[in-house]
Coordinates of all heavy atoms in Angstrom, one line a residue:
Y22 N 88.1 75.0 84.5 CA 89.1 75.1 83.5 C 90.4 75.4 84.2 O 90.5 76.2 85.2 CB 88.8 76.2 82.5 CG 87.7 75.8 81.5 CD1 86.4 75.9 81.9 CD2 87.9 75.3 80.3 CE1 85.3 75.6 81.1 CE2 86.9 75.0 79.4 CZ 85.6 75.1 79.8 OH 84.6 74.8 79.0
I23 N 91.5 74.8 83.6 CA 92.9 75.1 84.2 C 93.7 75.9 83.1 O 93.6 75.7 81.9 CB 93.6 73.8 84.5 CG1 95.0 74.1 85.2 CG2 93.8 72.9 83.3 CD1 95.7 72.8 85.7
F24 N 94.4 76.9 83.6 CA 95.2 77.8 82.8 C 96.7 77.4 83.0 O 97.1 77.0 84.1 CB 95.0 79.2 83.1 CG 93.6 79.7 82.8 CD1 92.5 79.4 83.6 CD2 93.3 80.4 81.6 CE1 91.2 79.8 83.3 CE2 92.1 80.8 81.3 CZ 91.0 80.5 82.1
D25 N 97.5 77.6 82.0 CA 98.9 77.1 82.1 C 99.9 78.2 81.6 O 101.1 77.8 81.4 CB 99.1 75.8 81.3 CG 98.6 75.9 79.9 OD1 98.5 77.1 79.4 OD2 98.2 74.9 79.3
H26 N 99.5 79.4 81.5 CA 100.5 80.4 81.1 C 100.3 81.7 81.8 O 99.1 82.2 82.0 CB 100.4 80.7 79.6 CG 101.4 81.8 79.2 ND1 102.7 81.6 79.0 CD2 101.2 83.1 78.9 CE1 103.3 82.7 78.6 NE2 102.4 83.7 78.6
V27 N 101.4 82.3 82.3 CA 101.3 83.7 82.8 C 102.7 84.3 82.5 O 103.7 83.7 82.5 CB 101.0 83.7 84.4 CG1 102.2 83.1 85.1 CG2 100.7 85.0 84.9
D28 N 102.7 85.6 82.3 CA 103.9 86.4 82.1 C 103.7 87.8 82.5 O 102.7 88.2 83.1 CB 104.3 86.3 80.6 CG 103.3 86.8 79.6 OD1 102.5 87.7 80.0 OD2 103.2 86.3 78.5
E29 N 104.7 88.6 82.4 CA 104.7 90.0 82.8 C 103.6 90.8 82.2 O 102.9 91.5 82.9 CB 106.1 90.6 82.5 CG 106.2 92.1 82.9 CD 107.5 92.7 82.5 OE1 108.6 92.0 82.6 OE2 107.5 93.8 82.1
I30 N 103.4 90.6 80.9 CA 102.3 91.3 80.2 C 100.9 90.9 80.7 O 100.1 91.7 81.0 CB 102.5 91.1 78.7 CG1 103.8 91.8 78.2 CG2 101.3 91.7 78.0 CD1 104.1 91.6 76.8
S31 N 100.7 89.6 80.8 CA 99.4 89.1 81.2 C 99.0 89.6 82.6 O 97.9 89.9 82.9 CB 99.3 87.6 81.0 OG 100.1 86.9 81.9
L32 N 100.0 89.6 83.5 CA 99.8 90.0 84.8 C 99.5 91.6 84.9 O 98.6 92.0 85.6 CB 100.9 89.7 85.7 CG 101.2 88.2 86.1 CD1 102.5 88.1 86.9 CD2 100.0 87.7 86.8
A33 N 100.2 92.3 84.0 CA 100.0 93.8 84.0 C 98.6 94.2 83.5 O 98.2 95.3 83.8 CB 101.1 94.4 83.2
L34 N 98.0 93.3 82.7 CA 96.7 93.7 82.1 C 95.6 93.9 83.2 O 94.6 94.5 83.0 CB 96.2 92.6 81.2 CG 96.9 92.6 79.8 CD1 96.7 91.3 79.0 CD2 96.5 93.8 79.0
K35 N 95.8 93.3 84.4 CA 94.9 93.6 85.5 C 94.8 95.1 85.9 O 93.7 95.6 86.1 CB 95.2 92.7 86.7 CG 94.2 92.9 87.9 CD 94.5 91.9 89.0 CE 93.5 92.1 90.1 NZ 93.8 91.2 91.3
D36 N 96.0 95.7 85.9 CA 96.0 97.1 86.2 C 95.6 98.0 85.0 O 95.0 99.0 85.2 CB 97.4 97.5 86.7 CG 97.8 96.9 88.0 OD1 96.9 96.7 88.9 OD2 99.0 96.6 88.2
V37 N 96.0 97.5 83.8 CA 95.8 98.3 82.6 C 94.3 98.3 82.2 O 93.7 99.3 81.8 CB 96.7 97.8 81.5 CG1 96.3 98.5 80.2 CG2 98.1 98.1 81.8
L38 N 93.7 97.1 82.2 CA 92.4 96.9 81.6 C 91.4 96.4 82.7 O 90.2 96.3 82.4 CB 92.4 95.9 80.5 CG 93.1 96.3 79.2 CD1 93.0 95.3 78.1 CD2 92.6 97.6 78.6
G39 N 91.9 95.9 83.8 CA 91.0 95.3 84.8 C 90.7 93.9 84.5 O 89.7 93.3 85.1
V40 N 91.4 93.2 83.6 CA 91.2 91.8 83.3 C 92.3 91.0 84.0 O 93.5 91.2 83.7 CB 91.3 91.6 81.8 CG1 91.0 90.2 81.4 CG2 90.3 92.5 81.0
D41 N 91.8 90.1 84.8 CA 92.7 89.3 85.7 C 93.0 87.9 85.0 O 92.2 87.1 84.9 CB 92.1 89.1 87.1 CG 93.1 88.4 88.0 OD1 94.2 88.1 87.6 OD2 92.7 88.3 89.2
F42 N 94.3 87.8 84.6 CA 94.7 86.5 84.0 C 95.6 85.7 84.9 O 96.4 84.9 84.4 CB 95.5 86.8 82.7 CG 94.6 87.3 81.5 CD1 94.8 88.6 81.0 CD2 93.6 86.5 81.0 CE1 94.1 89.0 79.9 CE2 92.8 87.0 80.0 CZ 93.0 88.2 79.4
S43 N 95.6 86.0 86.2 CA 96.5 85.4 87.1 C 96.1 84.1 87.7 O 96.9 83.3 88.3 CB 96.9 86.3 88.3 OG 95.7 86.5 89.1
K44 N 94.8 83.8 87.6 CA 94.2 82.6 88.2 C 94.6 81.3 87.5 O 94.6 81.3 86.2 CB 92.7 82.7 88.3 CG 92.2 83.9 89.2 CD 92.6 83.7 90.6 CE 91.9 84.7 91.5 NZ 92.3 86.1 91.3
E45 N 94.9 80.3 88.2 CA 95.2 79.0 87.6 C 94.0 78.2 87.3 O 93.9 77.4 86.3 CB 96.2 78.1 88.5 CG 96.6 76.8 87.9 CD 97.7 76.1 88.7 OE1 98.0 76.6 89.8 OE2 98.1 75.0 88.3
F46 N 93.0 78.4 88.1 CA 91.7 77.7 87.9 C 90.5 78.7 87.9 O 90.5 79.6 88.7 CB 91.4 76.7 89.1 CG 92.4 75.5 89.1 CD1 93.5 75.5 89.9 CD2 92.1 74.4 88.3 CE1 94.4 74.5 90.0 CE2 93.0 73.3 88.3 CZ 94.1 73.4 89.2
L47 N 89.6 78.5 87.0 CA 88.4 79.3 86.9 C 87.2 78.4 86.5 O 87.4 77.5 85.7 CB 88.5 80.4 85.9 CG 89.4 81.6 86.2 CD1 89.5 82.6 85.0 CD2 88.9 82.4 87.4

């Protein structure tokens, strides 16, 4: 799957919740 959106909030969620939304492909 390819992802096409990232922003300040989605990146910060890795530190806040441990959920990584930074990858372009998964």
Side-chain angles (χ1 to χ4, degrees):
Y22 288 80
I23 184 172
F24 293 79
D25 52 23
H26 176 78
V27 70
D28 57 31
E29 179 182 323
I30 293 174
S31 66
L32 289 176
L34 283 166
K35 183 175 182 179
D36 293 328
V37 173
L38 295 180
V40 182
D41 187 358
F42 289 118
S43 66
K44 299 292 191 293
E45 185 174 2
F46 294 95
L47 286 174

